[in-house]
Amino acid sequence: MTESDEEGIADLPPSAKLVYKVLEYNGPLTQKGIVQESMLSARTVRYALERLEEIDVIEEDVYFADARQNLYEITDEVVEPEAAVSD
């Protein structure tokens, strides 16, 4: 996670931070799965997902087991070239 991502998450409401942590610990989940894991209302989870998508820290994909739902996951971390090189 880059510093700008951390700053963006720090400015989010607590519900969005919780949804981010649920995805971080459990991996990709549907909205229904996030609701069950976080014990937040569906409406709150939808709002949190919108906020997280706005700052590009999560991505939405098709859930092939049930195409009516989407699968949400944390975006891949980008490794900076200087951080990857160690002497």
PDB file of all heavy atoms in Angstrom, residues 16-44:
ATOM      1  N   ALA A  16     -16.105   2.438   6.275  1.00  0.00           N
ATOM      2  CA  ALA A  16     -15.272   2.130   5.109  1.00  0.00           C
ATOM      3  C   ALA A  16     -13.959   1.499   5.548  1.00  0.00           C
ATOM      4  O   ALA A  16     -13.455   0.585   4.890  1.00  0.00           O
ATOM      5  CB  ALA A  16     -15.013   3.395   4.294  1.00  0.00           C
ATOM      6  N   LYS A  17     -13.405   1.958   6.662  1.00  0.00           N
ATOM      7  CA  LYS A  17     -12.180   1.361   7.188  1.00  0.00           C
ATOM      8  C   LYS A  17     -12.427  -0.092   7.594  1.00  0.00           C
ATOM      9  O   LYS A  17     -11.586  -0.963   7.353  1.00  0.00           O
ATOM     10  CB  LYS A  17     -11.669   2.150   8.383  1.00  0.00           C
ATOM     11  CG  LYS A  17     -11.173   3.533   8.030  1.00  0.00           C
ATOM     12  CD  LYS A  17     -10.794   4.288   9.274  1.00  0.00           C
ATOM     13  CE  LYS A  17     -10.485   5.732   8.957  1.00  0.00           C
ATOM     14  NZ  LYS A  17     -10.241   6.527  10.158  1.00  0.00           N
ATOM     15  N   LEU A  18     -13.591  -0.348   8.211  1.00  0.00           N
ATOM     16  CA  LEU A  18     -13.932  -1.709   8.614  1.00  0.00           C
ATOM     17  C   LEU A  18     -14.085  -2.611   7.393  1.00  0.00           C
ATOM     18  O   LEU A  18     -13.570  -3.734   7.370  1.00  0.00           O
ATOM     19  CB  LEU A  18     -15.209  -1.720   9.450  1.00  0.00           C
ATOM     20  CG  LEU A  18     -15.728  -3.092   9.868  1.00  0.00           C
ATOM     21  CD1 LEU A  18     -14.690  -3.836  10.692  1.00  0.00           C
ATOM     22  CD2 LEU A  18     -17.035  -2.965  10.623  1.00  0.00           C
ATOM     23  N   VAL A  19     -14.758  -2.136   6.367  1.00  0.00           N
ATOM     24  CA  VAL A  19     -14.926  -2.921   5.141  1.00  0.00           C
ATOM     25  C   VAL A  19     -13.558  -3.218   4.523  1.00  0.00           C
ATOM     26  O   VAL A  19     -13.304  -4.336   4.079  1.00  0.00           O
ATOM     27  CB  VAL A  19     -15.853  -2.196   4.137  1.00  0.00           C
ATOM     28  CG1 VAL A  19     -15.796  -2.832   2.754  1.00  0.00           C
ATOM     29  CG2 VAL A  19     -17.280  -2.183   4.660  1.00  0.00           C
ATOM     30  N   TYR A  20     -12.672  -2.242   4.518  1.00  0.00           N
ATOM     31  CA  TYR A  20     -11.321  -2.456   3.989  1.00  0.00           C
ATOM     32  C   TYR A  20     -10.609  -3.553   4.781  1.00  0.00           C
ATOM     33  O   TYR A  20      -9.991  -4.448   4.204  1.00  0.00           O
ATOM     34  CB  TYR A  20     -10.518  -1.152   4.028  1.00  0.00           C
ATOM     35  CG  TYR A  20      -9.138  -1.305   3.449  1.00  0.00           C
ATOM     36  CD1 TYR A  20      -8.942  -1.215   2.072  1.00  0.00           C
ATOM     37  CD2 TYR A  20      -8.047  -1.561   4.262  1.00  0.00           C
ATOM     38  CE1 TYR A  20      -7.674  -1.378   1.528  1.00  0.00           C
ATOM     39  CE2 TYR A  20      -6.781  -1.727   3.719  1.00  0.00           C
ATOM     40  CZ  TYR A  20      -6.604  -1.628   2.355  1.00  0.00           C
ATOM     41  OH  TYR A  20      -5.353  -1.800   1.820  1.00  0.00           O
ATOM     42  N   LYS A  21     -10.695  -3.504   6.110  1.00  0.00           N
ATOM     43  CA  LYS A  21     -10.040  -4.514   6.952  1.00  0.00           C
ATOM     44  C   LYS A  21     -10.649  -5.894   6.739  1.00  0.00           C
ATOM     45  O   LYS A  21      -9.938  -6.898   6.726  1.00  0.00           O
ATOM     46  CB  LYS A  21     -10.125  -4.124   8.436  1.00  0.00           C
ATOM     47  CG  LYS A  21      -9.167  -3.038   8.816  1.00  0.00           C
ATOM     48  CD  LYS A  21      -7.741  -3.501   8.619  1.00  0.00           C
ATOM     49  CE  LYS A  21      -6.739  -2.458   8.999  1.00  0.00           C
ATOM     50  NZ  LYS A  21      -5.368  -2.846   8.687  1.00  0.00           N
ATOM     51  N   VAL A  22     -11.958  -5.968   6.577  1.00  0.00           N
ATOM     52  CA  VAL A  22     -12.615  -7.248   6.311  1.00  0.00           C
ATOM     53  C   VAL A  22     -12.068  -7.844   5.016  1.00  0.00           C
ATOM     54  O   VAL A  22     -11.757  -9.037   4.949  1.00  0.00           O
ATOM     55  CB  VAL A  22     -14.157  -7.080   6.252  1.00  0.00           C
ATOM     56  CG1 VAL A  22     -14.831  -8.296   5.650  1.00  0.00           C
ATOM     57  CG2 VAL A  22     -14.717  -6.812   7.643  1.00  0.00           C
ATOM     58  N   LEU A  23     -11.940  -7.027   3.983  1.00  0.00           N
ATOM     59  CA  LEU A  23     -11.383  -7.510   2.716  1.00  0.00           C
ATOM     60  C   LEU A  23      -9.909  -7.874   2.866  1.00  0.00           C
ATOM     61  O   LEU A  23      -9.438  -8.835   2.263  1.00  0.00           O
ATOM     62  CB  LEU A  23     -11.565  -6.456   1.619  1.00  0.00           C
ATOM     63  CG  LEU A  23     -12.994  -6.248   1.143  1.00  0.00           C
ATOM     64  CD1 LEU A  23     -13.068  -5.037   0.212  1.00  0.00           C
ATOM     65  CD2 LEU A  23     -13.528  -7.484   0.451  1.00  0.00           C
ATOM     66  N   GLU A  24      -9.193  -7.129   3.674  1.00  0.00           N
ATOM     67  CA  GLU A  24      -7.777  -7.405   3.888  1.00  0.00           C
ATOM     68  C   GLU A  24      -7.579  -8.758   4.574  1.00  0.00           C
ATOM     69  O   GLU A  24      -6.715  -9.535   4.198  1.00  0.00           O
ATOM     70  CB  GLU A  24      -7.168  -6.287   4.735  1.00  0.00           C
ATOM     71  CG  GLU A  24      -5.672  -6.374   4.907  1.00  0.00           C
ATOM     72  CD  GLU A  24      -5.124  -5.184   5.672  1.00  0.00           C
ATOM     73  OE1 GLU A  24      -5.661  -4.860   6.761  1.00  0.00           O
ATOM     74  OE2 GLU A  24      -4.166  -4.580   5.180  1.00  0.00           O
ATOM     75  N   TYR A  25      -8.408  -9.048   5.571  1.00  0.00           N
ATOM     76  CA  TYR A  25      -8.268 -10.297   6.327  1.00  0.00           C
ATOM     77  C   TYR A  25      -8.869 -11.498   5.618  1.00  0.00           C
ATOM     78  O   TYR A  25      -8.347 -12.604   5.711  1.00  0.00           O
ATOM     79  CB  TYR A  25      -8.908 -10.168   7.709  1.00  0.00           C
ATOM     80  CG  TYR A  25      -8.170  -9.236   8.633  1.00  0.00           C
ATOM     81  CD1 TYR A  25      -8.851  -8.278   9.365  1.00  0.00           C
ATOM     82  CD2 TYR A  25      -6.782  -9.295   8.782  1.00  0.00           C
ATOM     83  CE1 TYR A  25      -8.181  -7.409  10.217  1.00  0.00           C
ATOM     84  CE2 TYR A  25      -6.107  -8.432   9.615  1.00  0.00           C
ATOM     85  CZ  TYR A  25      -6.819  -7.500  10.341  1.00  0.00           C
ATOM     86  OH  TYR A  25      -6.148  -6.646  11.165  1.00  0.00           O
ATOM     87  N   ASN A  26      -9.980 -11.321   4.912  1.00  0.00           N
ATOM     88  CA  ASN A  26     -10.713 -12.447   4.328  1.00  0.00           C
ATOM     89  C   ASN A  26     -10.480 -12.636   2.843  1.00  0.00           C
ATOM     90  O   ASN A  26     -10.921 -13.630   2.283  1.00  0.00           O
ATOM     91  CB  ASN A  26     -12.219 -12.290   4.571  1.00  0.00           C
ATOM     92  CG  ASN A  26     -12.551 -12.323   6.039  1.00  0.00           C
ATOM     93  OD1 ASN A  26     -12.111 -13.209   6.758  1.00  0.00           O
ATOM     94  ND2 ASN A  26     -13.306 -11.343   6.493  1.00  0.00           N
ATOM     95  N   GLY A  27      -9.871 -11.688   2.178  1.00  0.00           N
ATOM     96  CA  GLY A  27      -9.691 -11.788   0.737  1.00  0.00           C
ATOM     97  C   GLY A  27     -10.946 -11.352   0.007  1.00  0.00           C
ATOM     98  O   GLY A  27     -11.844 -10.738   0.594  1.00  0.00           O
ATOM     99  N   PRO A  28     -11.052 -11.667  -1.271  1.00  0.00           N
ATOM    100  CA  PRO A  28     -12.204 -11.224  -2.073  1.00  0.00           C
ATOM    101  C   PRO A  28     -13.535 -11.740  -1.513  1.00  0.00           C
ATOM    102  O   PRO A  28     -13.642 -12.905  -1.141  1.00  0.00           O
ATOM    103  CB  PRO A  28     -11.937 -11.837  -3.445  1.00  0.00           C
ATOM    104  CG  PRO A  28     -10.470 -12.097  -3.471  1.00  0.00           C
ATOM    105  CD  PRO A  28     -10.080 -12.401  -2.063  1.00  0.00           C
ATOM    106  N   LEU A  29     -14.512 -10.840  -1.433  1.00  0.00           N
ATOM    107  CA  LEU A  29     -15.843 -11.185  -0.951  1.00  0.00           C
ATOM    108  C   LEU A  29     -16.905 -10.473  -1.769  1.00  0.00           C
ATOM    109  O   LEU A  29     -16.649  -9.421  -2.352  1.00  0.00           O
ATOM    110  CB  LEU A  29     -16.022 -10.756   0.513  1.00  0.00           C
ATOM    111  CG  LEU A  29     -15.249 -11.492   1.593  1.00  0.00           C
ATOM    112  CD1 LEU A  29     -15.392 -10.755   2.926  1.00  0.00           C
ATOM    113  CD2 LEU A  29     -15.743 -12.912   1.730  1.00  0.00           C
ATOM    114  N   THR A  30     -18.107 -11.033  -1.773  1.00  0.00           N
ATOM    115  CA  THR A  30     -19.256 -10.342  -2.352  1.00  0.00           C
ATOM    116  C   THR A  30     -19.758  -9.334  -1.332  1.00  0.00           C
ATOM    117  O   THR A  30     -19.371  -9.365  -0.159  1.00  0.00           O
ATOM    118  CB  THR A  30     -20.387 -11.329  -2.684  1.00  0.00           C
ATOM    119  OG1 THR A  30     -20.834 -11.924  -1.462  1.00  0.00           O
ATOM    120  CG2 THR A  30     -19.940 -12.394  -3.669  1.00  0.00           C
ATOM    121  N   GLN A  31     -20.666  -8.477  -1.760  1.00  0.00           N
ATOM    122  CA  GLN A  31     -21.245  -7.512  -0.828  1.00  0.00           C
ATOM    123  C   GLN A  31     -21.956  -8.248   0.311  1.00  0.00           C
ATOM    124  O   GLN A  31     -21.847  -7.865   1.471  1.00  0.00           O
ATOM    125  CB  GLN A  31     -22.218  -6.593  -1.564  1.00  0.00           C
ATOM    126  CG  GLN A  31     -22.815  -5.544  -0.648  1.00  0.00           C
ATOM    127  CD  GLN A  31     -23.762  -4.626  -1.378  1.00  0.00           C
ATOM    128  OE1 GLN A  31     -23.605  -4.380  -2.569  1.00  0.00           O
ATOM    129  NE2 GLN A  31     -24.746  -4.118  -0.682  1.00  0.00           N
ATOM    130  N   LYS A  32     -22.652  -9.314  -0.025  1.00  0.00           N
ATOM    131  CA  LYS A  32     -23.350 -10.109   0.991  1.00  0.00           C
ATOM    132  C   LYS A  32     -22.361 -10.689   2.000  1.00  0.00           C
ATOM    133  O   LYS A  32     -22.619 -10.682   3.206  1.00  0.00           O
ATOM    134  CB  LYS A  32     -24.137 -11.233   0.306  1.00  0.00           C
ATOM    135  CG  LYS A  32     -25.013 -12.019   1.224  1.00  0.00           C
ATOM    136  CD  LYS A  32     -25.824 -13.033   0.429  1.00  0.00           C
ATOM    137  CE  LYS A  32     -26.722 -13.842   1.324  1.00  0.00           C
ATOM    138  NZ  LYS A  32     -27.532 -14.806   0.564  1.00  0.00           N
ATOM    139  N   GLY A  33     -21.224 -11.171   1.519  1.00  0.00           N
ATOM    140  CA  GLY A  33     -20.198 -11.696   2.406  1.00  0.00           C
ATOM    141  C   GLY A  33     -19.627 -10.630   3.318  1.00  0.00           C
ATOM    142  O   GLY A  33     -19.354 -10.880   4.497  1.00  0.00           O
ATOM    143  N   ILE A  34     -19.445  -9.426   2.780  1.00  0.00           N
ATOM    144  CA  ILE A  34     -18.935  -8.316   3.590  1.00  0.00           C
ATOM    145  C   ILE A  34     -19.951  -7.951   4.669  1.00  0.00           C
ATOM    146  O   ILE A  34     -19.582  -7.702   5.820  1.00  0.00           O
ATOM    147  CB  ILE A  34     -18.607  -7.099   2.701  1.00  0.00           C
ATOM    148  CG1 ILE A  34     -17.482  -7.447   1.723  1.00  0.00           C
ATOM    149  CG2 ILE A  34     -18.223  -5.892   3.548  1.00  0.00           C
ATOM    150  CD1 ILE A  34     -17.261  -6.420   0.634  1.00  0.00           C
ATOM    151  N   VAL A  35     -21.234  -7.942   4.315  1.00  0.00           N
ATOM    152  CA  VAL A  35     -22.291  -7.643   5.284  1.00  0.00           C
ATOM    153  C   VAL A  35     -22.250  -8.662   6.424  1.00  0.00           C
ATOM    154  O   VAL A  35     -22.313  -8.301   7.601  1.00  0.00           O
ATOM    155  CB  VAL A  35     -23.685  -7.623   4.608  1.00  0.00           C
ATOM    156  CG1 VAL A  35     -24.799  -7.622   5.638  1.00  0.00           C
ATOM    157  CG2 VAL A  35     -23.806  -6.428   3.681  1.00  0.00           C
ATOM    158  N   GLN A  36     -22.111  -9.937   6.083  1.00  0.00           N
ATOM    159  CA  GLN A  36     -22.079 -10.982   7.110  1.00  0.00           C
ATOM    160  C   GLN A  36     -20.845 -10.864   7.994  1.00  0.00           C
ATOM    161  O   GLN A  36     -20.930 -11.013   9.213  1.00  0.00           O
ATOM    162  CB  GLN A  36     -22.124 -12.360   6.456  1.00  0.00           C
ATOM    163  CG  GLN A  36     -23.461 -12.666   5.816  1.00  0.00           C
ATOM    164  CD  GLN A  36     -23.443 -13.950   4.996  1.00  0.00           C
ATOM    165  OE1 GLN A  36     -22.387 -14.459   4.638  1.00  0.00           O
ATOM    166  NE2 GLN A  36     -24.633 -14.454   4.694  1.00  0.00           N
ATOM    167  N   GLU A  37     -19.681 -10.621   7.403  1.00  0.00           N
ATOM    168  CA  GLU A  37     -18.439 -10.556   8.173  1.00  0.00           C
ATOM    169  C   GLU A  37     -18.345  -9.295   9.034  1.00  0.00           C
ATOM    170  O   GLU A  37     -17.824  -9.341  10.142  1.00  0.00           O
ATOM    171  CB  GLU A  37     -17.228 -10.624   7.239  1.00  0.00           C
ATOM    172  CG  GLU A  37     -17.012 -11.972   6.611  1.00  0.00           C
ATOM    173  CD  GLU A  37     -16.625 -13.038   7.617  1.00  0.00           C
ATOM    174  OE1 GLU A  37     -15.859 -12.752   8.555  1.00  0.00           O
ATOM    175  OE2 GLU A  37     -17.120 -14.173   7.456  1.00  0.00           O
ATOM    176  N   SER A  38     -18.819  -8.178   8.506  1.00  0.00           N
ATOM    177  CA  SER A  38     -18.669  -6.907   9.214  1.00  0.00           C
ATOM    178  C   SER A  38     -19.825  -6.611  10.163  1.00  0.00           C
ATOM    179  O   SER A  38     -19.690  -5.776  11.050  1.00  0.00           O
ATOM    180  CB  SER A  38     -18.554  -5.760   8.208  1.00  0.00           C
ATOM    181  OG  SER A  38     -19.778  -5.603   7.506  1.00  0.00           O
ATOM    182  N   MET A  39     -20.960  -7.271   9.950  1.00  0.00           N
ATOM    183  CA  MET A  39     -22.183  -7.022  10.714  1.00  0.00           C
ATOM    184  C   MET A  39     -22.694  -5.588  10.530  1.00  0.00           C
ATOM    185  O   MET A  39     -23.356  -5.039  11.410  1.00  0.00           O
ATOM    186  CB  MET A  39     -21.993  -7.360  12.190  1.00  0.00           C
ATOM    187  CG  MET A  39     -21.786  -8.839  12.415  1.00  0.00           C
ATOM    188  SD  MET A  39     -21.856  -9.334  14.119  1.00  0.00           S
ATOM    189  CE  MET A  39     -20.187  -9.003  14.634  1.00  0.00           C
ATOM    190  N   LEU A  40     -22.371  -4.993   9.396  1.00  0.00           N
ATOM    191  CA  LEU A  40     -22.912  -3.690   9.026  1.00  0.00           C
ATOM    192  C   LEU A  40     -24.139  -3.912   8.155  1.00  0.00           C
ATOM    193  O   LEU A  40     -24.313  -4.978   7.571  1.00  0.00           O
ATOM    194  CB  LEU A  40     -21.876  -2.884   8.237  1.00  0.00           C
ATOM    195  CG  LEU A  40     -20.602  -2.474   8.959  1.00  0.00           C
ATOM    196  CD1 LEU A  40     -19.609  -1.878   7.969  1.00  0.00           C
ATOM    197  CD2 LEU A  40     -20.897  -1.486  10.071  1.00  0.00           C
ATOM    198  N   SER A  41     -24.977  -2.885   8.025  1.00  0.00           N
ATOM    199  CA  SER A  41     -26.146  -3.003   7.154  1.00  0.00           C
ATOM    200  C   SER A  41     -25.702  -2.997   5.695  1.00  0.00           C
ATOM    201  O   SER A  41     -24.616  -2.506   5.357  1.00  0.00           O
ATOM    202  CB  SER A  41     -27.113  -1.850   7.397  1.00  0.00           C
ATOM    203  OG  SER A  41     -26.572  -0.640   6.897  1.00  0.00           O
ATOM    204  N   ALA A  42     -26.527  -3.541   4.830  1.00  0.00           N
ATOM    205  CA  ALA A  42     -26.215  -3.597   3.396  1.00  0.00           C
ATOM    206  C   ALA A  42     -26.018  -2.192   2.835  1.00  0.00           C
ATOM    207  O   ALA A  42     -25.120  -1.961   2.016  1.00  0.00           O
ATOM    208  CB  ALA A  42     -27.311  -4.329   2.638  1.00  0.00           C
ATOM    209  N   ARG A  43     -26.831  -1.262   3.267  1.00  0.00           N
ATOM    210  CA  ARG A  43     -26.724   0.115   2.788  1.00  0.00           C
ATOM    211  C   ARG A  43     -25.387   0.740   3.201  1.00  0.00           C
ATOM    212  O   ARG A  43     -24.731   1.432   2.410  1.00  0.00           O
ATOM    213  CB  ARG A  43     -27.880   0.935   3.338  1.00  0.00           C
ATOM    214  CG  ARG A  43     -27.897   2.349   2.865  1.00  0.00           C
ATOM    215  CD  ARG A  43     -29.102   3.077   3.366  1.00  0.00           C
ATOM    216  NE  ARG A  43     -29.095   4.436   2.881  1.00  0.00           N
ATOM    217  CZ  ARG A  43     -30.055   5.291   3.123  1.00  0.00           C
ATOM    218  NH1 ARG A  43     -31.098   4.938   3.827  1.00  0.00           N
ATOM    219  NH2 ARG A  43     -29.989   6.508   2.653  1.00  0.00           N
ATOM    220  N   THR A  44     -24.964   0.494   4.429  1.00  0.00           N
ATOM    221  CA  THR A  44     -23.689   1.022   4.916  1.00  0.00           C
ATOM    222  C   THR A  44     -22.524   0.417   4.143  1.00  0.00           C
ATOM    223  O   THR A  44     -21.577   1.114   3.784  1.00  0.00           O
ATOM    224  CB  THR A  44     -23.543   0.745   6.431  1.00  0.00           C
ATOM    225  OG1 THR A  44     -24.636   1.367   7.114  1.00  0.00           O
ATOM    226  CG2 THR A  44     -22.238   1.281   6.969  1.00  0.00           C
TER     227      THR A  44
END
